[in-house]
Amino acid sequence: MPAELAALYLCMSPAQLADLRKSKRPDGRAGNGASIIKPVESGAAAGPKDAVLYKLGILRDFAKSHTAPTAFDTALDSGLPGWVSAKLPFFAEREPRVKRGRRVLIGGAWNRADPLREKRFADLAKGRIRFTSLTCAEAAASLWADVASHAALAEQGLALLRSETQAIEAALAATGQLAAASNPDAVA
């Protein structure tokens, strides 16, 4: 699998994966990235510009042994600002010419619990589907191939919106109480 897809599989940026690949990282610690395979033509030495390929099995093992929050989890933990601003990868249908400019999403590439995730990576590698980077808000407003997946993503956004609305309403009520307490002559 090429480095760009390997990074997507591991729910990290290509730059983060490249940093893990280094034998020594800038902070002085040894790198602990997944094993790589560099294709080399017979007799030629591998150079730093050669494409880096990863075996899916090695990526799978690395992902299991290095569990960390995904970019989606981080965006969700930051609340509504992360939901509307953090760009995340989504699997999408290939666009036929008739549908130019319309995205039809299949699922989130960050969703490690999706039972079809492995199949989607195989389809992505074969060019049957593509991935696109969107904010969760943009993804919720896009068309999806599956109603249940769309509803699951949208429900998380709606829950964030409800909690944000409740916080604003509570702040308004507290401001009203503060104003009433500081001005005894005011009529409520």
Side-chain angles (χ1 to χ4, degrees):
M1 189 177 290
E4 181 182 43
L5 293 182
L8 181 65
Y9 184 84
L10 295 174
C11 301
M12 62 177 61
S13 72
Q16 288 171 309
L17 183 59
D19 185 44
L20 287 175
R21 212 171 37 239
K22 294 178 183 173
S23 58
K24 270 207 164 182
R25 297 187 351 204
D27 59 8
R29 295 182 298 155
N32 61 347
S35 301
I36 61 173
I37 304 160
K38 287 193 175 188
V40 182
E41 294 193 21
S42 59
K49 298 290 183 186
D50 288 336
V52 176
L53 298 176
Y54 292 84
K55 286 186 176 179
L56 185 57
I58 291 171
L59 293 175
R60 197 177 293 124
D61 292 343
F62 183 83
K64 285 178 186 173
S65 65
H66 293 83
T67 56
T70 65
F72 174 73
D73 297 329
T74 305
L76 196 59
D77 288 345
S78 64
L80 207 52
W83 180 263
V84 298
S85 64
K87 293 272 188 183
L88 301 171
F90 289 85
F91 293 113
E93 290 180 352
R94 304 261 332 141
E95 290 178 354
R97 288 191 173 164
V98 181
K99 289 186 185 176
R100 274 282 183 242
R102 296 190 72 189
R103 288 183 288 255
V104 177
L105 302 181
I106 300 169
W110 35 256
N111 186 359
R112 291 182 179 166
D114 184 353
L116 298 174
R117 188 168 191 259
E118 294 281 331
K119 180 191 176 310
R120 289 184 179 144
F121 269 97
D123 289 345
L124 183 64
K126 292 175 183 171
R128 293 181 185 146
I129 62 173
R130 65 186 180 94
F131 76 90
T132 183
S133 292
L134 303 169
T135 65
C136 293
E138 290 169 332
S142 294
L143 299 176
W144 284 59
D146 175 35
V147 175
S149 298
H150 192 180
L153 177 81
E155 186 53 44
Q156 291 168 328
L158 290 170
L160 283 172
L161 192 56
R162 281 191 291 274
S163 69
E164 202 70 26
T165 302
Q166 290 169 351
I168 291 169
E169 288 170 347
L172 280 171
T175 299
Q177 291 173 351
L178 181 64
S182 66
N183 188 1
D185 296 335
V187 176

